Amino acid sequence: TLLDQIARQRLAGLIVFFKPSGCPVQEIFQTDLPIIIPLHQPGCRFLDMNTESFARKALQRLKEQGAKKVAILAYPCINPSMQDAVRLLGEYGLESRPEWQIGMANADIADQIVRLMFSADRAQWPDGLLLVDDHLLPHVARGIFARGSEFRAT
C-alpha cells in the first residue's frame, strides 16, 4: 500500500492530484514526506494553475486555426479558466455568445449540450470549441459524433 511505501522510505516525495478512494490522506500528511497537492492543505506545498495563461494559449490556437466564433464549455460549472477565456476573447479577434458559454455541474450532460448547440442552422454554429476541463472530452466527442456532422479537429 501507499502507507507501506512511505513507512519504508521508498518514496522521495508524493504528488497528490486527487484523494483516491479509501486513501488515509491525514496519515500521509503526518509523515515527513515532501508532498505537493493542487489544493491548499495546511503544511503542504500546493500547485495552482495559471488560468489566464491557459486561456491565452487556447484562444491563440483557435485563432491560428481560423476560428472566429468560439463556444466555451466548462466543468465544474463556471470556473476561472472559463471566466478568463470569456474576458480575453476580444483580444484575439474572437467572439462568443452567452448560449455558447456553458458551465455544467455534471460532465455527463456535455453530449446533450453539444447536440443542442449544433442542432441550429449551420450558420449559427460556433466554429471553435474550447473545453476548459479534459473530463468533458469524451462526452463532447459523443455529442459531436451523434450529430453525424463533419467537424475538423485540430
Side-chain angles (χ1 to χ4, degrees):
T1 68
L2 180 59
L3 288 177
D4 292 335
Q5 296 294 319
I6 293 170
R8 291 186 199 140
Q9 298 180 340
R10 301 184 98 186
L11 303 173
L14 186 64
I15 300 175
V16 180
F17 287 99
F18 61 92
K19 179 185 178 246
S21 177
C23 180
V25 173
Q26 292 305 329
E27 292 177 38
I28 293 171
F29 289 143
Q30 293 170 0
T31 69
D32 293 330
L33 189 67
I35 299 174
I36 298 175
I37 187 166
L39 305 172
H40 182 68
Q41 179 76 24
C44 292
R45 293 187 172 115
F46 67 98
L47 301 174
D48 195 10
M49 183 173 150
N50 183 332
T51 59
E52 182 173 332
S53 175
F54 165 79
R56 285 186 181 283
K57 289 178 182 177
L59 295 173
Q60 180 63 39
R61 176 74 173 157
L62 287 168
K63 180 181 177 178
E64 289 169 358
Q65 295 298 312
K68 302 262 188 258
K69 304 179 293 183
V70 178
I72 305 168
L73 301 182
Y75 168 79
C77 295
I78 307 300
N79 65 39
S81 295
M82 181 177 185
Q83 293 168 338
D84 286 338
V86 170
R87 179 176 52 82
L88 296 168
L89 281 165
E91 285 186 33
Y92 292 88
L94 303 171
E95 64 180 67
S96 189
R97 297 179 182 172
E99 63 269 23
W100 293 346
Q101 301 164 16
I102 302 171
M104 57 202 84
N106 182 344
D108 293 336
I109 66 169
D111 66 321
Q112 297 164 348
I113 289 170
V114 169
R115 288 179 201 204
L116 284 171
M117 188 177 294
F118 292 103
S119 66
D121 179 56
R122 192 175 190 113
Q124 301 298 316
W125 289 6
D127 58 13
L129 184 58
L130 173 58
L131 308 180
V132 297
D133 189 287
D134 61 347
H135 289 95
L136 292 172
L137 183 58
H139 306 287
V140 168
R142 189 169 43 247
I144 288 172
F145 294 139
R147 288 283 307 139
S149 302
E150 292 183 22
F151 291 89
R152 181 176 56 110
T154 57

